[in-house]
Amino acid sequence: MTDDRWRELAQDTVLLDGFHALKHALRFGARVPLAVAADKAAALGRARRLAPDLAGPLDALLTETGAEGLRRLVPRPHPTGVAALAVPDPRPPAAAPGRTAPVVLLDDPRHLGNMGAVIRLAAGMAAAGVVTTGTADPWHPAVLRAAAGLHYALPVSRRDAASPPDGPLYALDPAGRDIASVRPVPGAVLAFGSERAGLSDATRARATELVSLPMRPGVSSYNLATSVAMTLYHWRAGTPR
């Protein structure tokens, strides 16, 4: 019965792979029509230790499948023995007027794990959203896995490069002004180029300003998620709240 229900729901939902992905999704209001555990008692014990606020909801939500039953649903089960299906929510970030936190714009990113890492840290830094351009889907299963369910903590969506989110656009580029001398402004859009090609011409042309991160001579680049983390920290520290 669970197998049939899983297959039916899987067409219009995304996979939450593991206990922590389900935990975060529930905390931030995701609609989860089905959640399973190889060992329900073990999953609830983990909840009581790590997320006592969710022990009751998980008790009502989880269906026990056994190890073999979970493998039928998820070919490579997470070590925590938990999986769930959630309704995706690819909403755009709030409009710039009245928005204080920055939006992260990933300009044609290619690495799905990096995208997930950016969403996870943007959620932790209370960014106003993550928007991507290009062909990579920010709701791809590999991105969801890397983000640990935190897609539901902030708006995550994809849009055309010709219509970025509104707000002053600060694009990260080695030729830009040192970010230490840039005063953060509320409601900004912080744009980051792809791991290999950098900023697109369209994003560069729309930038209010190009800014750069400090880097030791001889080092060619930072990982995308590292660049986003450094920039968000600078913006958070310098923006009045």
Side-chain angles (χ1 to χ4, degrees):
M1 192 69 173
T2 300
D3 292 32
D4 293 340
R5 179 68 171 149
W6 185 276
R7 284 191 290 269
E8 177 188 349
L9 290 168
Q11 302 175 45
D12 300 309
T13 56
V14 294
L15 174 65
L16 298 176
D17 191 20
F19 174 82
H20 297 290
L22 176 57
K23 171 192 73 178
H24 285 140
L26 289 175
R27 278 184 176 158
F28 291 100
R31 287 193 291 147
V32 181
L34 182 59
V36 296
D39 183 336
K40 182 173 178 177
L44 292 177
R46 188 184 299 271
R48 286 190 289 270
R49 293 193 308 274
L50 303 177
D53 55 311
L54 295 176
L58 284 171
D59 190 14
L61 181 62
L62 285 170
T63 296
E64 184 165 284
T65 61
E68 184 57 38
L70 182 59
R71 278 192 293 271
R72 286 198 305 271
L73 304 178
V74 184
R76 295 173 57 194
H78 192 273
T80 56
V82 172
L85 296 174
V87 177
D89 183 21
R91 65 192 188 280
R99 188 184 78 219
T100 57
V103 171
V104 174
L105 174 63
L106 301 183
D107 189 12
D108 196 17
R110 308 297 174 85
H111 192 287
L112 300 177
N114 278 345
M115 293 169 67
V118 167
I119 291 166
R120 187 171 184 173
L121 72 88
M125 292 293 286
V130 175
V131 175
T132 69
T133 69
T135 58
D137 181 6
W139 287 80
H140 185 282
V143 183
L144 283 151
R145 184 181 183 117
L150 283 163
H151 280 64
Y152 296 92
L154 75 174
V156 176
S157 62
R158 178 171 51 173
R159 65 195 302 166
D160 190 273
S163 55
D166 61 339
L169 178 60
Y170 291 81
L172 274 290
D173 186 271
R177 184 156 64 103
D178 189 328
I179 196 171
S181 66
V182 177
R183 182 178 180 181
V185 298
V189 178
L190 307 176
F192 302 83
S194 70
E195 297 87 344
R196 184 166 297 180
L199 292 170
S200 66
D201 292 340
T203 298
R204 186 187 297 273
R206 286 176 172 80
T208 303
E209 186 169 1
L210 297 178
V211 297
S212 63
L213 295 170
M215 188 179 299
R216 180 181 180 180
V219 176
S220 58
S221 66
Y222 293 119
N223 171 271
L224 175 61
T226 301
S227 296
V228 176
M230 294 169 68
T231 306
L232 280 178
Y233 186 84
H234 172 77
W235 228 259
R236 181 181 176 89
T239 304
R241 290 188 295 276

